[in-house]
Amino acid sequence: MTPANVFTTVLCRTALMLCVCAAPALARAQTVASGVHAGASPTVGAAAGSSVSPTVSPTAGSSVGRSASPAVSPSVSPAVSSSASSAQSDAEAAQQEAFDARQTVLNRRTEEYTYRYQVAEHDCYSRFFVNHCLGVARKAMYAAKDDIRTEQLKLNAEERALHAQQRDERNALRDAQDQADAPKRANNEKVNQASFDEKQRQHQIDEASRIASQPKSEAAAQAQYDQKQADFQSKLDQAHANAQKDEQQRTENVDRFNAKQVKASEHQESVKQRQTKAAAAAAASAAAASAAAAKSAAASGAVQK
């Protein structure tokens, strides 16, 4: 029989055992509930509660956990693992329902005994021996509470044992899954390590290439810098030459402007002299004409006389 089959068989037997053990607890819960609603006495509830055997004992839980742990092997397939997990979940749910049913019964018994003690206490005050009646009722209540506490402690112990068993089974399943995934993880680690080594090797190659090409790069950068400096110096010299040429042009323009100003002044002076001469000549001509007219007028007057 293979480890997977052994593991599946153990889980199926555990689930079957839990279902069989949970059936009396459920039946007892229904019986007690019907007895409580029908007005049953505390004695019936106590008898019903004490007659139920523990569902899972610590010995049984530890033996099942020990037998289930070595049966799991890394060769369990995912389908078997998922079916085993679902079966385990169903078994745990059934066990929890059984514990809840037993706890419900204990809670109802506690409420019923509390109510009956309160009724007995109320009735005792109408009797002659009040203290004796209260003592009897109190003793009955303490005895009932002791029984309930005993069953509650037993239930808590069984629940703790069951939780420990379930924890061990989950740990066994997890360990089996880890063992099943170990080859895959190892393969992934190898692939990741190979990728890392390849990246490191490529980085070393790139670093060596950069170091080897660094002198050439420095020479090219120096040549480029020298060319930029030569171009800048050439542009600066050209700018100085253009500035000198412009300065010379401005000087020549100033000289030409000054020569034009002098020539204009001379021309204006010659024009003024010509105008003065022309005015003098016109004045002399006018005077001569006036004198001739006067002579002519005088000559005419003399002839007439």
Side-chain angles (χ1 to χ4, degrees):
M1 183 178 292
T2 61
N5 294 333
V6 173
F7 178 69
T8 306
T9 304
V10 170
L11 286 180
C12 292
R13 289 180 179 177
T14 304
L16 181 60
M17 180 184 67
L18 293 175
C19 293
V20 171
C21 295
L26 295 176
R28 187 195 62 184
Q30 295 176 357
T31 303
V32 173
S34 61
V36 170
H37 290 296
S41 62
T43 307
V44 175
S50 60
S51 63
V52 179
S53 61
T55 302
V56 179
S57 63
T59 306
S62 59
S63 63
V64 172
R66 288 194 300 268
S67 61
S69 299
V72 180
S73 64
S75 62
V76 179
S77 62
V80 174
S81 178
S82 61
S83 62
S85 300
S86 61
Q88 184 179 5
S89 301
D90 296 339
E92 292 178 359
Q95 292 169 349
Q96 190 62 41
E97 290 178 359
F99 283 124
D100 293 340
R102 294 173 64 184
Q103 186 64 49
T104 302
V105 172
L106 292 176
N107 294 337
R108 289 180 180 177
R109 287 178 60 189
T110 302
E111 294 174 358
E112 183 180 358
Y113 280 121
T114 302
Y115 172 74
R116 289 182 177 276
Y117 172 72
Q118 292 175 355
V119 171
E121 184 181 16
H122 180 270
D123 293 340
C124 285
Y125 287 105
S126 62
R127 296 182 182 182
F128 183 77
F129 298 101
V130 177
N131 293 331
H132 177 71
C133 181
L134 291 175
V136 172
R138 196 175 292 113
K139 287 181 180 179
M141 182 190 66
Y142 288 159
K145 284 188 174 181
D146 289 340
D147 293 339
I148 294 175
R149 178 174 176 79
T150 301
E151 294 189 15
Q152 184 68 52
L153 294 176
K154 185 186 298 183
L155 177 61
N156 294 339
E158 293 175 7
E159 192 169 3
R160 285 194 299 271
L162 178 61
H163 290 167
Q165 175 191 352
Q166 293 174 353
R167 184 181 64 252
D168 294 339
E169 290 177 356
R170 285 193 295 268
N171 293 336
L173 289 175
R174 186 176 63 251
D175 295 340
Q177 188 64 35
D178 292 340
Q179 293 178 5
D181 295 339
K184 185 177 180 181
R185 287 198 304 271
N187 188 21
N188 292 335
E189 291 178 358
K190 289 181 180 179
V191 172
N192 295 334
Q193 186 65 33
S195 178
F196 177 76
D197 294 340
E198 180 63 25
K199 288 182 180 179
Q200 289 295 106
R201 185 164 51 255
Q202 185 64 34
H203 175 71
Q204 293 176 359
I205 293 174
D206 296 340
E207 187 68 17
S209 177
R210 185 184 65 81
I211 293 173
S213 62
Q214 187 172 4
K216 296 180 180 179
S217 300
E218 292 179 355
Q222 186 64 34
Q224 187 177 4
Y225 175 77
D226 295 340
Q227 184 64 33
K228 287 183 178 179
Q229 290 296 324
D231 294 341
F232 174 75
Q233 188 64 35
S234 176
K235 291 180 180 179
L236 186 61
D237 296 340
Q238 185 66 30
H240 288 165
N242 293 335
Q244 292 177 1
K245 185 177 180 180
D246 294 340
E247 183 65 23
Q248 185 178 0
Q249 186 67 32
R250 283 195 297 272
T251 303
E252 292 176 356
N253 292 337
V254 170
D255 294 341
R256 284 196 298 270
F257 177 74
N258 291 333
K260 287 182 180 180
Q261 291 293 328
V262 171
K263 188 176 180 180
S265 297
E266 292 176 353
H267 176 71
Q268 187 176 7
E269 187 64 26
S270 63
V271 170
K272 187 181 293 185
Q273 290 176 0
R274 287 195 302 268
Q275 289 178 352
T276 302
K277 290 178 180 181
S285 298
S290 296
K295 286 181 178 181
S296 176
S300 300
V303 171
Q304 290 177 358
K305 290 178 175 182

